[in-house]
Amino acid sequence: MSKDKYETHLFTGIVVEQDLSGNYVPKDGATLHRWRTGKHTKGKYKHTGQVFLTENNQSVAVLSQEKLSFNKRHDYVPLQRWTEATVDLRKLEAYKKDEP
């Protein structure tokens, strides 16, 4: 990989919000979308259910991850940064069946 290239991954996720207890839960009416890591993405991906922030500061929980060809990266919006927050995987099960 040249110095200008970087590893890219594609993430399928759902927008989440915090409930009254501070736990992240899928936002009512939210649908699945895809984001990618970018050159300036901060933090590291660790596991399914991890929350990241989009460039619009939306919180999104990861349902799945796959490798993305570097030359296809412009087909997807980059995510901004990873957080340490996670979503209980049981709350995401209903959405996994809708994955592309």
Side-chain angles (χ1 to χ4, degrees), residues 10-26:
L10 186 62
F11 297 91
T12 301
I14 189 159
V15 175
V16 293
E17 60 189 359
Q18 288 182 300
D19 63 16
L20 295 175
S21 300
N23 299 312
Y24 282 97
V25 294

Side-chain angles (χ1 to χ4, degrees), residues 70-90:
F70 187 77
N71 61 348
K72 300 236 186 237
R73 72 191 185 285
H74 291 299
D75 293 345
Y76 302 96
V77 176
L79 61 97
Q80 180 183 23
R81 73 177 177 88
W82 292 102
T83 71
E84 294 297 319
T86 59
V87 175
D88 182 337
L89 294 179
R90 291 173 293 195

Side-chain angles (χ1 to χ4, degrees), residues 14-74:
I14 189 159
V15 175
V16 293
E17 60 189 359
Q18 288 182 300
D19 63 16
L20 295 175
S21 300
N23 299 312
Y24 282 97
V25 294
K27 190 172 183 175
D28 285 340
T31 57
L32 301 183
H33 291 282
R34 300 175 114 188
W35 289 266
R36 67 170 173 90
T37 49
K39 188 173 191 173
H40 303 289
T41 299
K42 305 284 188 255
K44 294 282 183 208
Y45 171 69
K46 296 177 184 170
H47 53 77
T48 302
Q50 185 175 358
V51 175
F52 65 82
L53 295 178
T54 68
E55 291 182 329
N56 296 330
N57 285 322
Q58 286 185 303
S59 299
V60 176
V62 173
L63 292 171
S64 66
Q65 176 243 309
E66 59 192 90
K67 273 209 165 272
L68 176 64
S69 174
F70 187 77
N71 61 348
K72 300 236 186 237
R73 72 191 185 285
H74 291 299

